[in-house]
Amino acid sequence: MAQLSVVNGLEHLDDTIDLSKPTSKDVELSNFDHSSIPLEKEEWPVVIMGSSLVGMMTGLLLGFHGIKTISFDRRPTFLSHPRATGLNFRTCEILRQLGLEKRCREESVREFDVDAGLLVVERLVKGKLLATVQEHDPKRDQEVTPSEWLWLTQAMLEPILVEYAPMSNYNLVYGKEIVHYDEQPDGVIVVVRDLATNEHKKYKSQYLVACDGNRSAVRRKEGIDMKGVGHLGTGLNLRFKADLQKLLGDRARHGIIYVTMPHLKGAFRQEERGKAGLLWINEADGRIDFPPGSVSEDEARKMLYEFSGLSGEAGIELQSFAHWTLASCTAERYSSKGGRVLIAGDAAHIMPPTGALGGNTGCNDAHNLAWKLAYVLTGRAAPSLLQSYEQERRPNDAAVVDQATRRFRNRIQNQIPQLPEETYDVVEIGGRYNKGALVPGKGDSSDKDFEDPHSPSGTAGSRFPHVSLLSKDDQTISTLDLIKHNFVLVAAEEDSPWIAAAKGLEFQIDTYVLHETSQPYQDVKGLLRSRGKLAPGEALLVRPDNYIAWRATVQGSNHKEALQQALGQLLGKPTK
């Protein structure tokens, strides 16, 4: 784990990693004789290793689907040190499903203008404006998502998730680390050590989900290599106190500001509602690598003033600096060979922070995995369903890693000519799956990792399109709000034989007819037909993670049998 020290009142954090081999900072899961440790009576269907953002989201989503979960983390509590910031559209849609979006938005608007976009400037204060990137068009965005982009730092989000954990039957345990696990045919034995007392306890779980970060001990134990560009450099973070609202003026409304000059390259974000800031430095006066111990306090202060364009009288107080590894890679596998140990988040993919894609991509991992674990654990699906987690997420994660790396090359390294990038909405909510828990129809095959959410395909593996609906009490909701714990079958005509077929199954499927006069939800403009490419006699079967699993096409009879066959193919077992 990262090493924290305090020198002359300043925090120094070493969060560098070595992708080729473990270092002294890394936790090792070595052989462990646990025969004398009694097995705890209480079993946990899922144990999570790590209680940071992705671990928490995995626990909350499993709880949402009715699965009791526990996570262990060696930290005494959640970290306040700056990490990820910015919750993109897809993550906010997930929070919306959990009922947490409104609470998170209330916290976000206190900090930033959510639609202001990101600036590229020569210097932080009064430096020449070079470009505005990722600037949101709220009216256009509302056509494809019910959610907003939220400028919420991880340190602001995690306390909200901790507060809601008990309501989801999700138990977060801090100050205890997993020191060993044994994967067995019928589950996983997990040994946990209390860091305060050195006491060991042993638990039995059906599955272990490793959300143990970019230096994942589980990934190393399972012999999973990382593939991709690899090491990009060692960055330097400077955290400081200042009255940024006063110093930045109108620029204070922007969540992130990139600084780029021939000899200076980095990025800045606000903290503590404009009373503090964080500066990422990727290049300064020819230096592009900042390993631990290579920067003195005086040098750090000089860099801070040089990047900001301010003088020593500006009242900037340096608080800490951190060294961290920039890398671009994706795990070659997402599970153990036995299939009961899975990795997610930074354990599965490492990317530059440009575009705020890292933590958000991990949340997508959790959303994809949680419902599958729940269906397997409750007997609604065969264990083979979990194979689709890697089949779906790994290609999509690798594509997002590539997009984050392109943004790093363009915005931080100022590469000329600029590399082509997908737009923010395409990357955030246009991701699609081409193989996995889906039943493609004729002509559905695609090798694309993204599609334009403004021109959705409506095919298996694509995100179910957002359409605004009007309820009986004149409230506006989204088609995405209809997706909860079960599969959902949607048709655009009252007498749809597919709706009747779904209602005739023992397997629980929520059904909705949506058109201009439908009730209880009305598609006033009839948009679902065009956005979902729904022809008469067709229907869409949607998974609990908002992805289309199957398109039911026109046929004269045997609708129930066809639906059962599709579900059996999706879930790996027959359904009644």
Side-chain angles (χ1 to χ4, degrees), residues 48-52 55-56 71-73 75 170 178 209 211-212:
I48 300 171
M49 183 173 180
S51 302
S52 193
M56 286 188 191
S71 65
F72 296 102
D73 199 300
R75 300 171 299 167
Y170 166 40
I178 294 175
V209 180
C211 303
D212 55 337

Side-chain angles (χ1 to χ4, degrees), residues 212-519:
D212 55 337
N214 56 8
R215 50 169 51 86
S216 172
V218 170
R219 188 180 67 222
R220 288 196 304 276
K221 177 174 178 175
E222 296 299 332
I224 300 173
D225 291 332
M226 301 297 283
K227 303 293 185 181
V229 175
H231 188 269
L232 295 171
T234 304
L236 175 67
N237 284 2
L238 303 179
R239 192 180 191 187
F240 60 94
K241 288 271 191 181
D243 187 351
L244 295 171
Q245 298 288 325
K246 178 180 178 181
L247 293 173
L248 291 174
D250 184 61
R251 288 184 179 178
R253 68 191 183 94
H254 296 272
I256 293 178
I257 301 174
Y258 295 105
V259 179
T260 179
M261 291 183 71
H263 66 298
L264 299 173
K265 292 179 177 64
F268 159 85
R269 81 162 186 242
Q270 290 186 67
E271 301 274 334
E272 299 177 16
R273 297 185 174 86
K275 299 302 181 184
L278 182 71
L279 180 66
W280 293 278
I281 298 175
N282 298 103
E283 181 178 340
D285 297 322
R287 297 176 63 180
I288 58 172
D289 216 33
F290 303 91
S294 65
V295 178
S296 68
E297 288 182 30
D298 288 342
E299 288 175 314
R301 288 190 174 90
K302 181 182 177 182
M303 290 179 189
L304 183 56
Y305 284 114
E306 199 169 1
F307 269 83
S308 67
L310 296 168
S311 65
E313 289 76 40
I316 298 179
E317 176 190 346
L318 180 64
Q319 287 187 301
S320 67
F321 49 99
H323 306 268
W324 54 286
T325 299
L326 280 148
S328 171
C329 48
T330 308
E332 64 176 355
R333 288 187 287 116
Y334 277 26
S335 70
S336 62
K337 293 179 180 178
R340 289 189 176 273
V341 180
L342 305 112
I343 62 174
D346 288 350
H349 41 76
I350 305 171
M351 66 190 80
T354 34
L357 295 170
N360 288 294
T361 304
C363 291
N364 275 283
D365 294 342
H367 200 216
N368 182 288
L369 180 58
W371 76 267
K372 295 174 181 177
L373 282 169
Y375 269 56
V376 170
L377 288 165
T378 54
R380 288 174 286 178
S384 59
L385 174 65
L386 295 176
Q387 296 173 9
S388 68
Y389 169 59
E390 178 182 321
Q391 291 172 342
E392 295 174 352
R393 288 308 305 163
R394 189 182 182 281
N396 190 263
D397 288 347
V400 175
V401 168
D402 175 64
Q403 288 297 313
T405 307
R406 288 168 181 264
R407 284 155 168 73
F408 172 73
R409 303 286 196 202
N410 292 340
R411 301 175 191 178
I412 301 298
Q413 294 185 328
N414 199 27
Q415 178 164 319
I416 303 297
Q418 295 267 287
L419 296 171
E421 300 177 16
E422 298 287 357
T423 59
Y424 67 87
D425 49 354
V426 168
V427 176
E428 294 174 17
I429 53 177
R432 58 167 295 117
Y433 303 138
N434 299 312
K435 181 181 179 181
L438 46 99
V439 182
K442 292 181 180 179
D444 275 5
S445 60
S446 172
D447 58 357
K448 294 182 179 179
D449 296 303
F450 302 108
E451 65 179 39
D452 185 352
H454 291 274
S455 302
S457 67
T459 59
S462 66
R463 170 178 164 273
F464 183 50
H466 156 71
V467 171
S468 292
L469 305 174
L470 189 66
S471 68
K472 280 184 175 181
D473 54 357
D474 292 330
Q475 298 295 313
T476 299
I477 69 164
S478 168
T479 46
L480 302 185
D481 295 328
L482 305 179
I483 316 300
K484 301 185 187 303
H485 310 95
N486 302 319
F487 275 74
V488 173
L489 191 133
V490 178
E493 54 208 350
E494 291 294 339
D495 56 350
S496 168
W498 294 111
I499 296 289
K503 290 182 176 179
L505 295 180
E506 291 181 19
F507 184 86
Q508 191 167 0
I509 297 176
D510 297 334
T511 60
Y512 295 95
V513 173
L514 299 174
H515 54 72
E516 291 84 348
T517 59
S518 58
Q519 292 295 334

Side-chain angles (χ1 to χ4, degrees), residues 83-144:
R83 289 161 293 151
T85 189
L87 304 181
N88 67 26
F89 290 132
R90 187 73 182 111
T91 297
C92 290
E93 289 176 357
I94 297 170
L95 290 168
R96 184 184 184 95
Q97 188 180 49
L98 289 171
L100 296 176
E101 183 185 35
K102 181 179 178 182
R103 170 71 187 281
C104 291
R105 189 183 190 285
E106 290 171 350
E107 193 70 21
S108 172
V109 295
R110 300 176 187 176
E111 194 86 3
F112 309 113
D113 180 343
V114 296
D115 299 316
L118 317 178
L119 297 183
V120 182
V121 300
E122 287 188 344
R123 278 193 170 86
L124 187 60
V125 178
K126 298 181 181 179
K128 181 181 177 182
L129 175 64
L130 302 176
T132 302
V133 295
Q134 233 165 288
E135 188 171 14
H136 291 170
D137 180 344
K139 186 175 180 180
R140 188 169 187 270
D141 293 340
Q142 288 169 11
E143 296 174 2
V144 294

